[in-house]
Amino acid sequence: MTIRFDDQVAIVTGAGGGLGRCHALELARRGAKVVVNDLGGARDGSGGSSEAAEAVVGEIEAAGGEAIANGANVADYEQVRAMVAAAVDKWGRVDVLVNNAGILRDKSFVKASLEDFQLVVDVHLMGSVNCTKAVWEVMREQKYGRIVMTTSSTGLYGNFGQANYGAAKLGVVGFMNTLHLEGQKYDIRVNCLAPVAATRMTEGLMPEEALALLQPEYVTPAVVFMVSPDAPSRQIISAGAGGYARVYLEETPGIWLAPDERDADHVAANWDRIADKTGAEEYQDGSGQSMKFLTRAAKELGIKTG
Ligand code: NAI
């Protein structure tokens, strides 16, 4: 076992069951002291109890590890702040944050209420923001931090009945992109996981035979890699059933239209060329896109730059 977290402190949200529990157990097995956070509610976010988090702490301790249970609601910044303060009081630092807590309120958009939409955004997107905000200063000061956001195929690609969840889940990808840039100087690395696993969240959504192949334990290695000392940054890794892949956000080279062609008819007539993936690029930040257009325009118009 070469990837180790000795003397490191990790917080895993929503770690009372499913994927979070597996992440917490594996980080502890590799030497991390772990805050096992879980509100302990139902799949739709209702109710709450500390039992699930305490049971996982029991499992970690039984295996010789160190952990504390925490019942903070990630959507409540004051509770999250207190959770991070408790970890720092006890162990002096926070090296790893795995934003994993989540709920579902599935309904087609036509039937969905704005209250459900808000709640899903509050837990997935604002929950990740709250936890990251609470550890950010600690990680900057210690000049070390590893953060994982949990995105989803729904955010990346869409799934019927999950408009609220998809919006929140792609939100964390945008959040990662900028945190990666702002954290670089302090060795804070931020990545995203897009998991596929049989948990209570996917109960009833897939046939039994498929669920049997999708043990949540198989996803955890991707998370452990993304929070390890040699982790990459600003990557989206998808994982499930023993498969591991990287998701890219790319943009085509596109076309340049002369001043007298810049209308919707020319865009429509050139749609195939605009969408042609040949030479597609992944930018390192938003200015990559601006520079592409400016460079092309300057070249076409014979304007010298730089
Ligand atoms: P799960 O329902 O077993 O685990 C989610 C955990 O988060 C639960 O233990 C729950 O009590 C906790 N939680 C919910 N709201 C909370 C809050 N406000 N504060 C603190 N804890 C809270 O589901 P699963 O599948 O393990 O999901 C983990 C993450 O993975 C979620 O973010 C989910 O959206 C994401 N995901 C899961 C996929 C899958 O195939 N299972 C697919 C794509 C994403």
Side-chain angles (χ1 to χ4, degrees):
M1 196 194 298
T2 50
I3 296 179
R4 298 281 317 177
F5 298 90
D6 303 296
D7 303 320
Q8 291 202 4
V9 177
I11 298 176
V12 184
T13 69
L19 286 160
R21 171 180 162 273
C22 295
H23 305 336
L25 290 175
E26 184 60 10
L27 286 166
R29 196 175 75 86
R30 290 173 179 267
K33 300 175 181 74
V34 183
V35 177
V36 178
N37 159 269
D38 207 296
L39 179 66
R43 183 166 90 163
D44 69 356
S46 57
S49 126
S50 59
E51 271 169 44
E54 277 159 16
V56 175
V57 168
E59 283 186 81
I60 291 174
E61 287 175 346
E66 259 187 88
I68 50 175
N70 175 277
N73 176 354
V74 295
D76 181 324
Y77 183 66
E78 276 316 305
Q79 293 182 26
V80 167
R81 211 185 44 75
M83 166 178 76
V84 172
V88 172
D89 275 356
K90 190 166 169 62
W91 291 316
R93 50 191 296 121
V94 178
D95 301 281
V96 170
L97 168 66
V98 181
N99 286 305
N100 164 82
I103 59 166
L104 289 180
R105 289 282 167 107
D106 291 359
K107 265 191 191 129
S108 62
F109 190 59
V110 71
K111 293 190 192 132
S113 70
L114 289 178
E115 288 74 21
D116 277 356
F117 206 108
Q118 184 72 56
L119 182 69
V120 169
V121 170
D122 282 347
V123 173
H124 289 276
L125 177 56
M126 289 313 297
S128 301
V129 172
N130 289 336
C131 295
T132 304
K133 182 77 178 164
V135 300
W136 195 251
E137 204 51 51
V138 178
M139 289 182 172
R140 267 169 56 112
E141 272 169 28
Q142 70 196 16
K143 292 202 166 45
Y144 186 91
R146 300 287 181 265
I147 300 172
V148 163
M149 315 281 171
T150 307
T151 181
S152 161
S153 59
T154 298
L156 296 165
Y157 312 116
N159 265 327
F160 201 94
Q162 294 195 313
N164 52 19
Y165 181 74
K169 284 306 206 187
L170 203 55
V172 301
V173 175
F175 185 41
M176 165 191 74
N177 285 334
T178 288
L179 288 184
H180 155 73
L181 297 170
E182 296 183 5
Q184 245 169 356
K185 204 169 134 193
Y186 306 95
D187 195 15
I188 302 175
R189 303 183 198 176
V190 192
N191 295 289
C192 284
L193 168 78
V196 190
T199 64
R200 70 174 185 175
M201 204 172 259
T202 42
E203 258 168 38
L205 300 180
M206 281 185 236
E208 279 303 314
E209 311 81 71
L211 292 176
L213 294 174
L214 290 167
Q215 299 305 306
E217 285 81 0
Y218 305 153
V219 169
T220 293
V223 172
V224 171
F225 167 61
M226 286 192 282
V227 298
S228 66
D230 292 329
S233 190
R234 195 196 184 235
Q235 307 297 312
I236 306 168
I237 300 185
S238 57
Y244 305 88
R246 189 188 155 190
V247 177
Y248 287 91
L249 282 181
E250 290 184 330
E251 187 166 317
T252 67
I255 58 160
W256 184 81
L257 293 175
D260 62 345
E261 297 171 336
R262 292 173 192 168
D263 56 40
D265 305 300
H266 279 85
V267 171
N270 284 287
W271 175 236
D272 286 351
R273 287 173 60 218
I274 293 171
D276 183 359
K277 280 205 243 173
T278 312
E281 269 183 283
E282 189 187 42
Y283 303 119
Q284 295 314 305
D285 61 34
S287 71
Q289 185 193 58
S290 319
M291 286 313 294
K292 170 183 68 181
F293 287 136
L294 284 171
T295 310
R296 178 80 190 264
K299 188 174 154 229
E300 298 285 351
L301 296 168
I303 301 168
K304 285 208 166 37
T305 52

